[in-house]
Amino acid sequence: MALLEKPNGEGNGVKKGTWVVKKGLAEMLKGGVIMDVTTPEQAKIAEEAGACAVMALERVPADIRASGGVARMADPTVILRIMEAVTIPVMAKVRIGHFVEAQILEALGVDYIDESEVLTPADEEFHINKHAFKVPFVCGARNLGEALRRIGEGAAMIRTKGEAGTGNVVEAVRHMRLIMSEIRRLQNMPEEEVMTFAKNIQAPYELVMETRKLGRLPVVNFAAGGIATPADAALMMQLGADGIFVGSGIFKSSDPMKRARAIVAATTYYNDPQVLAEVSKDLGEPMPGIDVATLRPEQRLQERGW
Amino acid sequence: MVIGVLALQGGFREHIAVLERCGVKAKEIRKKEELDGIDGLIIPGGESTTFGRLMVDFGLLDPLVNLIKGGLPVFGTCAGLVVLCREIVGSEQPRLGVLNARVRRNAFGRQVDSFEADLEVPVLGPEPFRGVFIRAPYIEELWPPAEVLATLEGKIVAARQDKILVTAFHPELTTDERFHRYFIGMVSG
């Protein structure tokens, strides 16, 4: 692989890392499931089960939540071993605002960076300037304003934050419903109200206008944070998600391969209750869940990000 | 005319939008029953291993192979190209295997090496075509009756075999409809 010639920019108008190719990879992930993995063996199971990408981590969110302390970018060795194990895209997480962790992941050649609230923020005021990178970024959002601020900073893909590591879909539902209802409201208002709407949700006006015209976010919008069953995945798809991230839900369950295949099928056949009934059978124990209402404010990862 | 777009995963929405701009009715295909009544099929970009898993689990593989061998026109882009090829370098993944070609996946490198480039495509006329290559494959070798339609730095990135059309890049991510119109011509011809 390393010895293959790559287009060198001479003639042909070759351009790398353009907005079209950054956003385009997310378009190709649509309708798919991105799974958290911590070992090459798990990555192979995810690929075999039909995952469209994997997220390489040292610990899944449920374990990060349990162990406390400062959660950082994974060791590059872990990420590289996972990159060698599979042919599908490999994503990895950096702390909010930690642009040097992002430079390191770009140097490793990861395919997508998640600037993630699951890790401990490195900057409590500013996110990474994602336009400065050739590698594309995905960011979490709870509402339309937050999503459009992240896109304004250069995110080529958005996901709901949900509440990671809980196995409880309620927050992902809240965030997806809110984003969709804000978009519907934006589409139905007269144009003279749009500037004040943009001011109120603290989002760039041009991106607000583009969202209004498209009737959806200007980039792909996945669901994440608490998805644990095929029914959860199909619920998020029916609410308007373009695809699904499953964090702790697969490898914290009793039969990861079977559950992973079922969630992949449920994400494609989200509108087909017969298929959903079939794939939901005999999956074994799901991950143990957490009632989000029992979390103290400082335990709510979704509050991270500005 | 109705053109089916395989909607298991990936960039099917963009292909449907281009077909509609060309005035052609598009139909999402997820199950084998939905293949009835289509005049052509597009297999979009996405992950070819995901397509393989779902085509096997939901019984689409054999019906698709039979339809394509029976002359159904098919257009595969990126992962769609991969699953149409007979040989995939270093992989045993499920495939349709109807195109006489050997393909290498992710052949230009990882996402940081994804790129856009102008391509000469003689069958589309003298104007270059802007190719969007995302973790793209290329064809290492093909054999008759498959023919080369375009190359980039000596690598085969578009090809045709009878009613099978493939590109390693994504025409559906551009506003240039010439590849889709060329395919629509294959369907009506």
Side-chain angles (χ1 to χ4, degrees):
Chain A
M1 278 295 292
L3 295 175
L4 281 178
E5 267 186 283
K6 289 172 182 155
N8 55 19
E10 284 170 29
N12 300 329
V14 170
K15 280 192 184 142
K16 287 189 184 181
T18 61
W19 180 245
V20 171
V21 302
K22 287 159 91 172
K23 188 174 159 220
L25 178 55
E27 304 287 359
M28 296 310 140
L29 299 172
K30 281 201 310 277
V33 182
I34 300 166
M35 301 181 192
D36 278 5
V37 297
T38 57
T39 64
E41 294 71 32
Q42 288 184 355
K44 285 204 166 94
I45 291 172
E47 181 174 57
E48 169 79 22
C52 68
V54 292
M55 178 77 70
L57 294 163
E58 268 181 14
R59 287 173 294 169
V60 295
D63 291 335
I64 290 174
R65 186 177 281 289
S67 65
V70 175
R72 308 178 179 90
M73 175 188 81
D75 186 317
T77 314
V78 172
I79 297 168
L80 287 170
R81 286 176 60 214
I82 289 168
M83 285 166 60
E84 281 162 15
V86 292
T87 60
I88 56 180
V90 176
M91 302 184 168
K93 288 184 194 290
V94 298
R95 287 178 265 177
I96 289 172
H98 206 316
F99 53 86
V100 173
E101 285 186 348
Q103 290 165 1
I104 291 169
L105 291 187
E106 184 172 63
L108 293 178
V110 303
D111 297 298
Y112 238 92
I113 294 178
D114 184 0
E115 187 185 18
S116 177
E117 71 282 1
V118 169
L119 305 183
T120 310
D123 190 321
E124 297 197 330
E125 203 170 351
F126 304 112
H127 283 252
I128 296 171
N129 172 18
K130 294 165 273 286
H131 290 297
F133 290 80
K134 279 199 163 63
V135 60
F137 281 73
V138 55
C139 287
R142 289 176 300 173
N143 54 50
L144 183 58
E146 194 172 12
L148 296 182
R149 287 195 296 281
R150 297 295 87 80
I151 297 166
E153 293 158 358
M157 179 177 183
I158 292 293
R159 56 171 176 77
T160 61
K161 285 182 171 172
E163 191 57 47
T166 61
N168 187 338
V169 79
V170 66
E171 296 299 305
V173 167
R174 189 193 316 283
H175 300 159
M176 187 58 74
R177 277 201 184 275
L178 182 55
I179 289 173
M180 294 299 170
S181 80
E182 286 177 294
I183 292 173
R184 284 191 295 271
R185 197 152 63 83
L186 173 61
Q187 282 188 286
N188 288 323
M189 67 181 56
E191 190 160 343
E192 64 269 23
E193 294 182 10
V194 174
M195 181 60 84
T196 298
F197 179 86
K199 183 188 81 172
N200 290 341
I201 67 167
Q202 300 178 45
Y205 176 74
E206 289 70 23
L207 291 175
V208 172
M209 285 301 284
E210 194 182 344
T211 303
R212 174 179 158 95
K213 197 176 77 190
L214 293 169
R216 56 176 168 80
L217 289 181
V219 303
V220 166
N221 183 21
F222 270 47
I227 293 148
T229 68
D232 289 348
L235 172 67
M236 297 311 303
M237 293 297 287
Q238 289 197 29
L239 287 173
D242 290 319
I244 302 292
F245 280 90
V246 187
S248 321
I250 290 171
F251 291 100
K252 284 283 167 190
S253 72
S254 64
D255 189 345
M257 178 53 133
K258 194 165 183 191
R259 184 165 294 264
R261 283 174 69 166
I263 292 177
V264 168
T267 301
T268 294
Y269 299 96
Y270 64 94
N271 258 333
D272 191 328
Q274 295 294 337
V275 172
L276 297 176
E278 196 53 43
V279 302
S280 297
K281 287 178 186 166
D282 299 322
L283 292 181
E285 282 299 305
M287 70 176 282
I290 297 174
D291 182 350
V292 176
T294 65
L295 294 176
R296 294 192 304 276
E298 69 273 19
Q299 292 176 312
R300 287 163 61 90
L301 303 178
Q302 61 177 282
E303 308 295 337
R304 298 165 165 179
W306 356 104
Chain B
M1 180 195 296
V2 179
I3 295 183
V5 181
L6 196 67
L8 298 174
Q9 188 268 322
F12 52 89
R13 183 167 79 195
E14 287 69 24
H15 277 292
I16 291 169
V18 181
L19 289 174
E20 286 171 352
R21 286 207 301 274
C22 294
V24 172
K25 197 168 181 309
K27 180 184 180 189
E28 292 183 9
I29 307 289
R30 291 183 178 80
K31 299 179 115 174
K32 53 180 182 288
E33 305 83 72
E34 293 165 342
L35 292 166
D36 291 342
I38 59 168
D39 304 299
L41 178 73
I42 292 179
I43 307 179
E47 280 306 314
S48 59
T49 49
T50 305
F51 297 175
R53 170 88 271 155
L54 290 165
M55 286 195 294
V56 169
D57 286 357
F58 289 86
L60 276 161
L61 206 56
D62 293 337
L64 280 173
V65 170
N66 292 336
L67 281 172
I68 297 166
K69 285 188 171 164
L72 180 77
V74 59
F75 177 17
T77 58
C78 195
L81 177 161
V82 172
V83 298
L84 285 165
C85 286
R86 269 187 204 286
E87 296 177 19
I88 305 172
V89 176
S91 174
E92 298 300 313
Q93 67 193 81
R95 69 203 67 180
L96 299 168
V98 289
L99 178 68
N100 289 347
R102 183 174 69 245
V103 64
R104 181 179 286 277
R105 291 181 61 202
N106 307 332
F108 293 98
R110 303 192 71 97
Q111 173 62 14
V112 287
D113 299 308
S114 290
F115 62 98
E116 300 175 41
D118 290 329
L119 302 170
E120 283 178 41
V121 190
V123 294
L124 299 183
E127 191 72 17
F129 193 95
R130 191 70 176 164
V132 177
F133 293 80
I134 298 173
R135 290 172 46 90
Y138 63 71
I139 293 174
E140 282 191 344
E141 191 189 353
L142 51 69
W143 52 97
E147 297 171 76
V148 176
L149 295 186
T151 61
L152 176 66
E153 298 181 353
K155 290 144 188 145
I156 302 164
V157 293
R160 178 174 175 177
Q161 172 184 314
D162 303 325
K163 294 276 185 182
I164 303 170
L165 174 67
V166 291
T167 62
F169 47 92
H170 295 279
E172 77 284 5
L173 295 182
T174 70
T175 52
D176 191 337
E177 292 150 8
R178 283 180 293 162
F179 259 106
H180 287 80
R181 291 191 187 279
Y182 180 76
F183 178 62
I184 292 164
M186 285 166 58
V187 175
S188 40

